[in-house]
Amino acid sequence: MRLWIKDPLAILAPEAERGIVVDGSQIVECVARGKTPIEPWGATFDASRHVVLPGLINAHHHFYQTLTRAHPAGFGKDLIPWLVAMERVWDRMTPEALAVAVRMALVELLLSGCTTAADHHNLFPPGLERALDIEVEEAMRLGLRMTVTRGSMGISEKDGGLQPDSIVQDSDAILEDSERALKAFHDPAPGAMVRVALAPCSPLAVPQRVLAESAALAERYDARLHCHLCQSLEEDAYAVETFGKRSVDLLEEAGWIGPRTWVAHGVHFNDDEIGRLGRAGVGVAHCAAADMAFGVGICPTRALEAAGVPIGLAVDGSASNDSSNMMEAARHALLLQRLRYGHAAVGPYDALRWATEGSARCLGRDDIGKIAPGMEADLALYRLDEPRFSGAHDPIAALVLCGANRADRVMVAGRWRVVDGMPEDIDLAALMARHRALAKAFG
Ligand SMILES: [Zn+2]
């Protein structure tokens, strides 16, 4: 049945002042000022108190970390020692804990207006070999779109790496499970609810063979490639010291510098690397909160965009950005980028473009991230009736500038998944109680 989302207070779409029409999983019409829908509609949603955005898209996360927010093991440490300490907490992960952590992260993202999320799952201790199956099951149950990434860590302490042996897998196990996940879950078709990407933790965390064979698998299955890249200067120094090369060069040798790849952070590229990434169409997920939290620097978004790099936004893992709020991520990106480039160079509409179209490009999707006929009906609707918005003039800019925190309604693939600020089909209080109880095992 056609649904007319009618007369929004404001909408981030051209010529849609009277709203949009949704049929099935898609937007079929934008209704311009003074018009009514061309085809008959069966139902109407009065959006006169709502600002309507395309659903926000989170381009990088580590869902399992919701169980280790604000964790004292990480206090007082810079990025690499923090990672070393936290990995010795995360290796206690069990299938039950992961399922509940994923559910919590998805609900939290959904409530902020996020409709598609990429999760970089790189934790496969013994017993958790089927982590991706758990993630897919949870995403299907909640009805969010996901790019589930088959992460990996392959160089342990005994081989001179940073990771404990307990969470490192051998190359054959990584590659076999990568292909299994692609076969089982990856849907490259438009409108897909689940896609799989291959995502070694970083070019420094796996043998070169895993990088190269992952690129070949991605090509074969029409999937994408993802990793952390150039987050800190220490990481750059470690790459040169250990491998005799910079991370970007390691990726290039493995066939990764191409349009299938998007990377997280991308703070410390040199000018030559920015040019190479831009020409190749590699995307960058800007993780403003985590970069600020670790004081690693500021992603050069403007230089990257000028070179042709798609910029998306991400909340990053819940142990580094202790919350998973995509609208907050847009605000963080706006403020941090202004710190680098100035007030005039970056505005709230840039932040929203990165959080929608930009992240969609990172994930290789042209069916989400915009409100237009033929696009998937993924929408986030916010109300401006909280004190923080009172007196605001531009309702769309106000979401970012005043700091919208929670969507009132969220639609994914034409289905309402948040109604009146609460997730559908889930007992939020019970979920939180179970999540809190499971988190105790990580104390
Ligand atoms: Zn990350």
Side-chain angles (χ1 to χ4, degrees):
M1 186 202 296
R2 286 181 173 236
L3 170 68
W4 181 12
I5 298 176
K6 188 181 172 187
D7 293 335
L9 180 62
I11 182 165
L12 188 58
E15 297 183 27
E17 295 83 0
R18 294 222 65 203
I20 53 174
V21 181
V22 170
D23 190 12
S25 76
Q26 290 193 336
I27 298 164
V28 290
E29 190 182 347
C30 289
V31 187
R33 185 174 290 118
K35 307 276 189 191
T36 52
I38 296 163
E39 302 266 337
W41 63 95
T44 304
F45 175 75
D46 173 7
S48 58
R49 295 169 70 177
H50 292 91
V51 181
V52 182
L53 301 183
L56 307 180
I57 300 170
N58 181 36
H60 179 77
H61 204 307
H62 308 282
F63 286 171
Y64 63 83
Q65 294 179 7
T66 57
L67 291 160
T68 59
R69 301 185 216 248
H71 199 293
F75 294 172
K77 296 182 178 70
D78 284 330
L79 180 59
I80 292 178
W82 171 86
L83 194 58
V84 168
M86 293 307 297
E87 278 169 345
R88 283 145 185 86
V89 177
W90 296 325
D91 70 358
R92 299 169 212 165
M93 196 65 57
T94 62
E96 187 197 7
L98 178 67
V100 176
V102 169
R103 206 173 305 157
M104 191 74 244
L106 288 169
V107 166
E108 195 187 353
L109 286 166
L110 192 57
L111 290 175
S112 75
C114 176
T115 51
T116 299
D119 187 44
H120 192 173
H121 186 85
N122 49 22
L123 190 67
F124 294 85
L128 200 57
E129 289 82 1
R130 292 294 164 105
L132 261 63
D133 307 49
I134 293 170
E135 296 217 312
V136 170
E137 190 183 325
E138 293 297 330
M140 304 276 276
R141 183 189 302 180
L142 276 166
L144 262 84
R145 278 181 221 281
M146 263 194 83
T147 292
V148 181
T149 82
R150 206 303 175 182
S152 52
M153 294 191 272
I155 304 176
S156 75
E157 280 170 319
K158 68 175 165 37
D159 300 316
L162 298 170
Q163 282 77 37
D165 295 346
S166 56
I167 55 172
V168 165
Q169 293 183 296
D170 71 40
S171 299
D172 287 337
I174 293 167
L175 291 164
E176 277 164 23
D177 194 52
S178 296
E179 185 158 19
R180 182 193 70 83
L182 285 165
K183 278 185 182 155
F185 305 123
H186 181 54
D187 178 4
M193 294 303 289
V194 176
R195 289 192 179 167
V196 175
L198 303 184
C201 186
S202 88
L204 316 175
V206 292
Q208 194 73 354
R209 181 189 151 216
V210 172
L211 288 178
E213 292 193 20
S214 295
L217 279 173
E219 195 68 36
R220 196 175 321 143
Y221 288 88
D222 191 15
R224 292 184 75 76
L225 294 163
H226 180 56
C227 67
H228 295 98
L229 195 67
C230 295
Q231 184 177 4
S232 71
L233 288 170
E234 290 74 22
E235 180 193 324
D236 282 0
Y238 175 81
V240 173
E241 210 173 275
T242 313
F243 297 90
K245 290 180 184 128
R246 289 178 54 79
S247 301
V248 174
D249 297 324
L250 287 167
L251 280 189
E252 184 139 51
E253 281 172 20
W256 274 54
I257 303 299
R260 290 196 181 281
T261 301
W262 90 105
V263 300
H265 302 286
V267 176
H268 294 288
F269 297 128
N270 61 35
D271 290 347
D272 173 61
E273 289 167 344
I274 289 174
R276 283 153 66 197
L277 296 172
R279 283 190 294 280
V282 172
V284 170
H286 176 32
C287 306
D291 294 343
M292 287 190 279
F294 287 106
V296 290
I298 306 175
C299 175
T301 54
R302 283 315 205 191
L304 287 162
E305 281 199 308
V309 171
I311 298 290
L313 296 187
V315 300
D316 202 0
S318 303
S320 50
N321 170 5
D322 300 64
S323 88
S324 306
N325 187 305
M326 261 310 285
M327 188 55 83
E328 204 176 66
R331 189 163 193 255
H332 287 151
L334 171 71
L335 296 175
L336 184 62
Q337 290 302 317
R338 281 181 167 174
L339 193 61
R340 178 165 191 145
Y341 291 107
H343 187 272
V346 190
Y349 286 85
D350 292 310
L352 290 174
R353 175 171 54 79
W354 290 333
T356 53
E357 287 172 56
S359 289
R361 289 181 67 196
C362 282
L363 301 186
R365 301 195 67 141
D366 56 11
D367 55 344
I368 56 173
K370 269 190 211 171
I371 294 174
M375 301 294 281
E376 288 293 296
D378 290 6
L379 304 167
L381 283 68
Y382 302 84
R383 285 170 58 156
L384 302 184
D385 47 9
E386 293 171 59
R388 67 198 313 154
F389 299 111
S390 186
H393 290 263
D394 179 328
I396 294 174
L399 295 175
V400 183
L401 293 172
C402 307
N405 194 267
R406 193 157 174 168
D408 183 60
R409 287 244 172 185
V410 179
M411 175 180 278
V412 188
R415 293 169 68 212
W416 290 117
R417 304 315 300 145
V418 172
V419 172
D420 298 334
M422 291 298 283
E424 289 283 272
D425 307 324
I426 194 149
D427 180 341
L428 186 56
L431 170 60
M432 286 169 62
R434 196 158 161 226
H435 187 261
R436 277 195 303 267
L438 286 162
K440 289 200 172 88
F442 298 85

